[in-house]
Amino acid sequence: MRRRIQAINSEDAPSAEKARRMHELLLEGYRASQVANRRKPTPPMEEEALGHQLGPSTSPGPLESLKSWYNHATDQPSMADKFILSDSDIAPTFAPIRPRKGSDVELQGQGSTTPLESQAPLGCQHYERNVKLQCFTCKKWYTCRFCHDAAEDHSLVRRETRNMLCMLCGTPQKASDMCINCGEVSAHYYCNICKLWENRK
């Protein structure tokens, strides 16, 4: 084989042609073994040797579990149907308007604010965010854990939070950085581990 490769290399031919011919040379042995394997007759297997009867397989195929999941998922009610929401749950809450860094609070009080600055952002007195979170313990919706803890007799553990409610469109859903319905971000900052949303920079 070495002599044949050297002979191809010494020819006066383009590099691409030399490469193609060397590739063919290297594949000769493989192709010959494939042809030889096809010619060998396979011995008939007896049912006793196999230990079972030949026939169609009764074991589920690789996609059967996926079909089962799909059918199960389509038979279930939508996520919105699983949540019991009151009007106060769906109603958005707003954070107080905070003066921008370096701005003069007195000037804002004299009517020099722009319309965008005068609109209160979604959130509460503790955080600016576009979502409410559902307490894992009582299943009630609050804008933050501090608001929850002030109203309830137990504490909201943020890390146990599983669901959020988008205050832009009113859709309850699994906690994440973006709403599955309206596509808006839940906050500029989101931590999936500690379930913290924050719009303030």
Side-chain angles (χ1 to χ4, degrees), residues 103-139:
S103 67
D104 189 0
V105 178
E106 293 173 3
L107 289 176
Q108 288 182 357
Q110 296 174 2
S112 65
T113 59
T114 64
L116 287 177
E117 289 174 323
S118 64
Q119 292 178 355
L122 290 171
C124 64
Q125 63 182 349
H126 308 106
Y127 296 101
E128 290 180 11
R129 54 175 59 154
N130 300 336
V131 296
K132 291 182 179 181
L133 52 116
Q134 185 184 40
C135 176
F136 185 77
T137 306
C138 66
K139 306 299 184 205

Side-chain angles (χ1 to χ4, degrees), residues 37-147:
N37 283 340
R38 279 189 229 137
R39 290 183 186 158
K40 287 182 186 175
T42 54
M45 292 191 261
E46 296 183 20
E47 291 180 15
E48 294 84 26
L50 292 174
H52 66 288
Q53 290 185 341
L54 294 175
S57 173
T58 57
S59 64
L63 296 179
E64 290 303 313
S65 61
L66 183 61
K67 289 177 186 175
S68 170
W69 174 84
Y70 178 77
N71 292 336
H72 181 67
T74 55
D75 292 343
Q76 286 190 340
S78 69
M79 188 170 282
D81 295 336
K82 293 180 188 177
F83 298 107
I84 299 170
L85 299 170
S86 67
D87 290 338
S88 63
D89 292 336
I90 297 172
T93 58
F94 297 93
I97 299 172
R98 300 176 196 270
R100 288 186 177 175
K101 290 182 181 177
S103 67
D104 189 0
V105 178
E106 293 173 3
L107 289 176
Q108 288 182 357
Q110 296 174 2
S112 65
T113 59
T114 64
L116 287 177
E117 289 174 323
S118 64
Q119 292 178 355
L122 290 171
C124 64
Q125 63 182 349
H126 308 106
Y127 296 101
E128 290 180 11
R129 54 175 59 154
N130 300 336
V131 296
K132 291 182 179 181
L133 52 116
Q134 185 184 40
C135 176
F136 185 77
T137 306
C138 66
K139 306 299 184 205
K140 293 182 182 176
W141 298 93
Y142 286 92
T143 310
C144 80
R145 67 184 174 107
F146 297 115
C147 295

Side-chain angles (χ1 to χ4, degrees), residues 6-55:
Q6 288 173 343
I8 293 170
N9 242 350
S10 65
E11 291 178 3
D12 186 26
S15 297
E17 177 62 23
K18 289 180 184 179
R20 186 193 64 74
R21 291 185 62 204
M22 283 186 201
H23 182 75
E24 291 294 323
L25 176 65
L26 293 172
L27 288 177
E28 278 180 2
Y30 171 76
R31 289 184 179 144
S33 69
Q34 295 299 310
V35 171
N37 283 340
R38 279 189 229 137
R39 290 183 186 158
K40 287 182 186 175
T42 54
M45 292 191 261
E46 296 183 20
E47 291 180 15
E48 294 84 26
L50 292 174
H52 66 288
Q53 290 185 341
L54 294 175

